[in-house]
Amino acid sequence: DRKLSGTRTRRQVCRVEKDSEEGRMFKVRDDSKVLAWRKRLEEYKVEFARTEDGIAAQGQGRQLCIPASGTYNGCYGENGFKGDTSYVLTFEPARGSAVRVHGTVSDTDGQAVIEDGYILPNGDCYWIERSPPGSIDPPVKRVMNPGKKPSNEVSDQEASTLMALVIAKYSKDEGHISGNYVANTGIGGTMWCKCGPPVASIVSLGESHGGSIAVATLDGGGGGG
């Protein structure tokens, strides 16, 4: 029920069908969503590396943009639903001009580990949020949608693990991070967070449109991302 939880749709990598022969209910799994998400991740990593090389060629260093490590509270928007979220982020020196990002996140979907994340001196950043295995209910029976072929590239564990790619921008002047995310279930949305106490109640999130960075604005009319 999306009215109860807009984020619940992020878990719906499967849908229910009825087996007419056996008279049982089983779930239909569409591995194409997982594969499409994986492809998007690899494409963005290439794009991010190009940006990083360009910054390095200009001689810009890490000192231009290193956010403070700590608790970042904020919110996210998904299918008309808005919820609170809390990140515990650590930023530390990594390769070249990039700074490594890792930590944890908690929201309506539960908790996830933040891994494989980086931020550049210009504020561009990304990370992956990985929930525990079983965070997406695994299918009872492996049956594909009509016209779909089973994929040996996706394991049952991967198909049952909720993962999201977050592509965002850190604003040094405002001290917040805002952007978009897309999960391996095909569901996406927007996010906003800032180091300090919870502030989600005063933030409005723009809807996600493709790969563009989301715009977060203060309800009082102030600028966001």
Side-chain angles (χ1 to χ4, degrees):
D1 186 345
R2 293 185 181 181
K3 293 182 180 179
L4 293 178
S5 173
T7 58
R8 187 175 301 174
T9 58
R10 226 185 300 176
R11 302 181 184 275
Q12 294 176 348
V13 72
C14 307
R15 63 185 178 85
V16 177
E17 293 279 333
K18 184 175 182 180
D19 187 330
S20 58
E21 292 183 3
E22 301 177 13
R24 297 184 303 177
M25 300 300 288
F26 58 86
K27 293 181 179 179
V28 177
R29 184 166 111 192
D30 186 353
D31 287 352
S32 65
K33 292 180 180 179
V34 178
L35 294 173
W37 180 87
R38 196 192 295 171
K39 180 180 179 182
R40 172 63 179 134
L41 171 61
E42 294 306 315
E43 290 175 344
Y44 186 74
K45 283 184 175 181
V46 172
E47 180 182 338
F48 191 85
R50 289 197 188 109
T51 302
E52 181 180 355
D53 289 343
I55 290 174
Q58 297 172 13
Q60 299 183 44
R62 295 191 197 97
Q63 70 274 10
L64 296 181
C65 182
I66 301 183
S69 297
T71 300
Y72 282 69
N73 289 295
C75 56
Y76 64 95
E78 184 179 293
N79 291 334
F81 175 86
K82 177 179 164 184
D84 296 336
T85 187
S86 180
Y87 293 89
V88 177
L89 300 176
T90 298
F91 301 91
E92 57 189 20
R95 63 189 189 219
S97 61
V99 171
R100 183 170 176 248
V101 184
H102 61 93
T104 59
V105 58
S106 300
D107 61 21
T108 310
D109 274 330
Q111 294 185 330
V113 173
I114 294 172
E115 58 187 24
D116 195 23
Y118 293 93
I119 183 169
L120 296 178
N122 66 355
D124 286 356
C125 58
Y126 82 90
W127 61 74
I128 296 170
E129 297 177 5
R130 181 192 297 270
S131 298
S135 47
I136 302 174
D137 291 337
V140 177
K141 183 177 180 180
R142 189 184 183 87
V143 179
M144 306 306 294
N145 286 322
K148 302 286 185 179
K149 294 182 179 180
S151 172
N152 293 325
E153 299 179 51
V154 180
S155 67
D156 287 341
Q157 178 170 315
E158 182 178 8
S160 68
T161 300
L162 181 64
M163 298 179 67
L165 167 63
V166 176
I167 299 175
K169 187 87 171 182
Y170 170 67
S171 170
K172 185 177 181 180
D173 293 337
E174 300 292 337
H176 65 240
I177 301 172
S178 62
N180 298 328
Y181 65 83
V182 61
N184 58 350
T185 56
I187 302 299
T190 56
M191 57 77 67
W192 185 99
C193 64
K194 185 173 183 177
C195 191
V199 292
S201 61
I202 63 169
V203 175
S204 296
L205 284 167
E207 289 299 321
S208 173
H209 298 286
S212 61
I213 296 298
V215 175
T217 59
L218 298 179
D219 285 349

